[in-house]
Coordinates of all heavy atoms in Angstrom, one line a residue:
W7 N 108.7 43.6 121.7 CA 110.0 43.9 122.3 C 110.5 45.2 121.7 O 110.4 45.4 120.5 CB 111.0 42.8 122.1 CG 110.8 41.5 122.8 CD1 109.6 40.8 122.8 CD2 111.7 40.8 123.6 NE1 109.7 39.7 123.6 CE2 111.0 39.6 124.0 CE3 113.0 40.9 123.9 CZ2 111.6 38.7 124.8 CZ3 113.6 40.0 124.7 CH2 112.9 38.9 125.1
A35 N 122.3 47.5 118.7 CA 121.4 46.7 117.8 C 122.0 45.4 117.4 O 121.2 44.4 117.1 CB 121.1 47.5 116.5
R37 N 123.5 43.3 119.2 CA 123.6 42.3 120.3 C 122.2 41.6 120.4 O 121.2 42.2 120.6 CB 123.8 43.1 121.6 CG 125.3 43.4 121.9 CD 125.6 43.8 123.3 NE 124.8 43.1 124.3 CZ 124.0 43.7 125.2 NH1 124.0 45.0 125.3 NH2 123.3 43.0 126.1
F38 N 122.3 40.3 120.3 CA 121.0 39.5 120.3 C 120.9 38.6 121.5 O 120.0 37.8 121.6 CB 121.0 38.7 119.0 CG 120.9 39.5 117.8 CD1 122.0 39.7 117.0 CD2 119.7 40.2 117.4 CE1 122.0 40.5 115.9 CE2 119.7 41.0 116.3 CZ 120.8 41.1 115.5
D39 N 121.9 38.7 122.5 CA 121.8 37.9 123.7 C 120.5 38.2 124.5 O 120.1 39.3 124.6 CB 123.0 38.1 124.6 CG 123.3 39.5 124.9 OD1 123.5 40.3 124.0 OD2 123.3 39.9 126.1
G40 N 119.9 37.1 124.9 CA 118.7 37.2 125.7 C 117.4 37.4 124.9 O 116.3 37.5 125.5
I41 N 117.5 37.4 123.6 CA 116.3 37.6 122.8 C 116.0 36.2 122.2 O 116.9 35.5 121.6 CB 116.5 38.6 121.6 CG1 116.9 40.0 122.2 CG2 115.3 38.7 120.8 CD1 117.3 41.0 121.2
P42 N 114.8 35.7 122.3 CA 114.5 34.4 121.8 C 114.6 34.2 120.3 O 114.3 35.1 119.5 CB 113.0 34.1 122.2 CG 112.5 35.4 122.6 CD 113.6 36.4 122.9
T43 N 115.2 33.1 119.8 CA 115.3 32.9 118.4 C 114.1 32.2 117.8 O 113.3 31.6 118.5 CB 116.5 32.0 118.1 OG1 116.4 30.7 118.8 CG2 117.8 32.6 118.6
G44 N 113.9 32.4 116.5 CA 112.7 31.9 115.8 C 111.4 32.3 116.4 O 110.4 31.6 116.4
H45 N 111.3 33.5 117.0 CA 110.2 33.9 117.8 C 109.4 35.1 117.2 O 108.2 35.2 117.6 CB 110.8 34.4 119.1 CG 109.8 34.7 120.2 ND1 109.1 33.7 120.9 CD2 109.4 35.9 120.7 CE1 108.3 34.3 121.8 NE2 108.5 35.6 121.7
F46 N 109.9 35.8 116.3 CA 109.3 37.1 115.9 C 108.7 37.0 114.5 O 109.3 36.5 113.6 CB 110.2 38.3 116.0 CG 110.7 38.5 117.4 CD1 111.8 38.0 117.9 CD2 109.9 39.3 118.3 CE1 112.2 38.2 119.2 CE2 110.2 39.5 119.6 CZ 111.4 38.9 120.1
D47 N 107.5 37.6 114.3 CA 106.9 37.8 113.0 C 107.4 39.0 112.3 O 107.4 39.0 111.1 CB 105.4 37.9 113.1 CG 104.7 36.7 113.7 OD1 105.0 35.6 113.2 OD2 104.0 36.8 114.7
L48 N 107.9 40.0 113.0 CA 108.3 41.3 112.5 C 109.4 41.9 113.3 O 109.2 41.9 114.6 CB 107.1 42.2 112.4 CG 107.3 43.6 111.9 CD1 107.7 43.6 110.5 CD2 106.0 44.4 112.1
V49 N 110.4 42.4 112.7 CA 111.5 43.2 113.3 C 111.6 44.4 112.5 O 111.7 44.4 111.3 CB 112.8 42.4 113.3 CG1 113.9 43.3 113.9 CG2 112.8 41.1 114.1
F64 N 124.8 41.3 111.6 CA 123.5 41.8 112.0 C 122.4 41.0 111.2 O 121.4 40.6 111.9 CB 123.4 43.3 111.7 CG 122.1 43.8 112.0 CD1 121.6 44.0 113.3 CD2 121.2 44.2 111.0 CE1 120.4 44.5 113.6 CE2 119.9 44.7 111.2 CZ 119.5 44.8 112.6
A65 N 122.5 40.9 109.9 CA 121.5 40.2 109.1 C 121.3 38.8 109.6 O 120.2 38.2 109.6 CB 121.8 40.4 107.6
K66 N 122.5 38.1 109.9 CA 122.4 36.8 110.4 C 121.6 36.7 111.7 O 120.8 35.8 111.9 CB 123.8 36.2 110.6 CG 123.9 34.8 111.0 CD 125.3 34.3 111.1 CE 125.4 32.9 111.6 NZ 126.8 32.4 111.7
G67 N 121.9 37.7 112.6 CA 121.1 37.7 113.8 C 119.7 38.0 113.6 O 118.8 37.3 114.3
I68 N 119.3 38.9 112.7 CA 117.9 39.1 112.4 C 117.2 37.8 111.9 O 116.1 37.5 112.3 CB 117.7 40.3 111.4 CG1 118.1 41.6 112.1 CG2 116.3 40.4 110.9 CD1 117.3 42.1 113.3
H69 N 117.9 37.2 111.0 CA 117.4 35.9 110.4 C 117.1 34.9 111.6 O 116.1 34.2 111.5 CB 118.4 35.3 109.5 CG 117.9 34.1 108.8 ND1 118.1 32.8 109.3 CD2 117.3 33.9 107.6 CE1 117.6 31.9 108.5 NE2 117.1 32.5 107.5
S70 N 118.0 34.9 112.6 CA 117.8 33.9 113.7 C 116.6 34.3 114.5 O 116.0 33.4 115.1 CB 119.0 33.8 114.5 OG 119.2 34.9 115.3
L71 N 116.3 35.6 114.6 CA 115.1 36.0 115.5 C 113.8 35.7 114.8 O 112.8 35.5 115.5 CB 115.2 37.5 115.8 CG 116.4 38.0 116.5 CD1 116.3 39.5 116.7 CD2 116.6 37.3 117.8
L72 N 113.7 35.7 113.5 CA 112.5 35.6 112.8 C 112.0 34.2 112.7 O 112.7 33.3 112.5 CB 112.6 36.2 111.4 CG 112.8 37.7 111.3 CD1 113.2 38.1 109.8 CD2 111.6 38.5 111.8
K73 N 110.6 34.1 112.7 CA 110.0 32.8 112.4 C 110.0 32.7 110.9 O 110.2 33.7 110.2 CB 108.5 32.9 112.8 CG 108.2 33.0 114.3 CD 106.7 33.1 114.5 CE 106.4 33.3 115.9 NZ 104.9 33.5 116.1
P74 N 109.8 31.5 110.3 CA 109.6 31.4 108.9 C 108.5 32.3 108.4 O 107.4 32.3 109.1 CB 109.3 29.9 108.7 CG 110.0 29.2 109.8 CD 109.8 30.2 111.0
G76 N 108.7 35.4 108.6 CA 108.9 36.7 109.3 C 109.5 37.8 108.5 O 110.2 37.5 107.5
L145 N 117.6 36.5 104.0 CA 116.5 37.4 104.1 C 116.4 38.0 102.6 O 117.3 38.6 102.1 CB 116.8 38.6 105.0 CG 117.1 38.2 106.5 CD1 117.6 39.4 107.3 CD2 115.8 37.7 107.1
K178 N 112.1 36.3 105.7 CA 112.7 35.0 105.9 C 111.8 34.0 105.3 O 110.6 33.8 105.8 CB 112.9 34.8 107.4 CG 113.5 33.4 107.7 CD 113.7 33.2 109.2 CE 114.2 31.8 109.5 NZ 114.5 31.7 111.0

Side-chain angles (χ1 to χ4, degrees):
W7 290 50
R37 278 193 38 233
F38 298 101
D39 52 302
I41 302 174
T43 60
H45 187 75
F46 296 95
D47 295 309
L48 176 65
V49 173
F64 176 74
K66 182 178 180 181
I68 293 295
H69 183 273
S70 75
L71 298 180
L72 291 171
K73 294 176 182 177
L145 298 169
K178 176 180 178 175

